[in-house]
Amino acid sequence: MKVVALHNLKGGVGKSSAAVNMAREANRDGLPVLLWDLDAQGASTWILGGEDGMSRKVGKLLAGKSPLGEQVQHTPWERFDLLPADMRLRELDRILGDKADGDKHLKRLIAPFSEEYALMILDCPPGLSTLADQLIRAADRILVPTIPSPLSVQAFSRMLEHLDLKKRQRQRLTPFFNLVDRRRTLHREWLEAPPAAIGAPMQTWIPYASDVERMSLECRPLADLAPRSRATHAYRRLWQELKTELGE
C-alpha cells in the first residue's frame, strides 16, 4: 500500500479538496482507496458525507488500544472508504508524542490497512507538529498544495527547516501549484519558472475554479460533480503524474 499525505504549514491552500479529488481519481483508476481525515475541521469528511464516529474513544484508537479499522466508513463510491475526522484530533500531537515507539507510531497505525487498500490518502492539519515529523516515516510522498505567492515560499522554506530532512527524505516532499489564477502575472511567471526555494514542483497545476467551492455544498468530488471542469481534468493529470512517480 502506498501512503500519500496532503500537508502544508499554511491553511486555506486547498489541501482537503486536493485530498478528496486525488483519492477519487485513484479510485476511478481502479485502486481500493482509504482517505484518513486527520484534520479536526473535517472538511474531507464533510465532502464525502462521512459521520463523526470516533469522538468517545479517539484517544484509545490513536494510541493503538482499540482497532482503528472499526471506524472505517464506506462512501457512496465502491472501494473508496473514509476514516472520519473528529474534534478530539486536536489531541493528536500529544498522543503521538507520548508513544514509546516515537516517530514510528503513525506508521504503525497505518500498517494494518495495507491488507485491504492499495492507497491511503492522509488529509493533514496545517502547522508544524509532531504529526508533520512522523509523516516523513509514514508517507511515501508528501504533497504540498502551494498557491503562487511569496508567503507560500516562506511557508515551504519553514517546513523544510523544521523537518530538517535528509536528502532521500527531501525527495518525498513535493509541492504543486494550486488555486492558480492565470490572470495574475505572478501566477503565470511562477508556472514558467518556479522559485528556486521550492525546488521542482509537480508538472501539473490546479486552476482556481468555482466548481471546487461547490464540492462542500453538494458533497461530491469534482469527478462526479463537474466531470468536464478544467480543475477535474487537472486533478486527473496530477494523479497520473503521481501514480507514475509512485510506481503504481
Side-chain angles (χ1 to χ4, degrees):
M1 180 181 73
K2 299 296 185 181
V3 179
V4 175
L6 276 294
H7 181 57
N8 197 314
L9 167 61
K10 286 171 56 62
V13 296
K15 172 183 55 62
S16 294
S17 59
V20 169
N21 287 311
M22 292 291 283
R24 178 65 175 124
E25 289 302 327
N27 171 248
R28 293 180 71 252
D29 210 15
L31 297 184
V33 177
L34 176 65
L35 191 155
W36 188 358
D37 190 351
L38 286 162
D39 191 338
Q41 296 182 67
S44 290
T45 300
W46 174 269
I47 294 170
L48 294 176
E51 297 179 0
D52 177 0
M54 298 174 64
S55 60
R56 292 188 178 180
K57 51 181 179 179
V58 66
K60 289 184 177 180
L61 290 164
L62 296 176
K65 297 178 181 179
S66 295
L68 190 58
E70 292 180 357
Q71 304 302 311
V72 170
Q73 298 176 8
H74 299 301
T75 72
W77 301 275
E78 186 176 359
R79 300 205 303 171
F80 181 6
D81 294 339
L82 170 72
L83 262 175
D86 186 277
M87 283 300 293
R88 294 193 187 181
L89 284 171
R90 293 174 296 178
E91 303 173 20
L92 179 59
D93 260 23
R94 178 186 58 78
I95 295 169
L96 293 177
D98 287 347
K99 295 308 295 177
D101 47 3
D103 59 2
K104 297 181 181 179
H105 185 63
L106 181 64
K107 186 175 183 178
R108 293 183 190 279
L109 288 174
I110 288 171
F113 293 105
S114 63
E115 299 179 5
E116 189 170 352
Y117 301 97
L119 176 70
M120 175 182 276
I121 299 281
L122 305 178
D123 182 4
C124 303
L128 299 177
S129 60
T130 302
L131 172 63
D133 297 334
Q134 297 212 6
L135 287 176
I136 299 303
R137 289 191 176 273
D140 297 286
R141 184 60 59 90
I142 303 172
L143 294 182
V144 185
T146 303
I147 299 173
S149 76
L151 287 178
S152 294
V153 172
Q154 181 190 39
F156 188 78
S157 298
R158 287 186 175 180
M159 278 185 66
L160 293 179
E161 181 181 353
H162 170 80
L163 295 173
D164 191 24
L165 304 177
K166 298 178 181 178
K167 184 176 181 180
R168 288 188 63 184
Q169 294 174 328
R170 172 65 181 83
Q171 293 172 350
R172 299 185 201 169
L173 194 145
T174 309
F176 68 92
F177 287 127
N178 199 26
L179 303 178
V180 174
D181 185 350
R182 288 185 59 86
R183 295 171 298 181
R184 300 185 179 185
T185 301
L186 183 62
H187 287 212
R188 295 196 305 272
E189 290 177 348
W190 281 20
L191 290 179
E192 294 293 330
I198 66 172
M202 302 288 282
Q203 294 182 6
T204 306
W205 52 272
I206 309 299
Y208 174 83
S210 58
D211 293 321
V212 176
E213 297 177 351
R214 289 174 53 209
M215 288 173 56
S216 60
L217 293 174
E218 303 199 25
C219 297
R220 285 185 290 168
L222 283 175
D224 306 280
L225 173 64
R228 298 182 181 180
S229 167
R230 290 186 306 123
T232 305
H233 289 294
Y235 275 118
R236 199 157 295 160
R237 292 192 299 271
L238 184 61
W239 160 244
Q240 293 300 324
E241 183 179 351
L242 177 62
K243 182 175 74 166
T244 299
E245 293 190 3
L246 291 173
E248 283 293 318

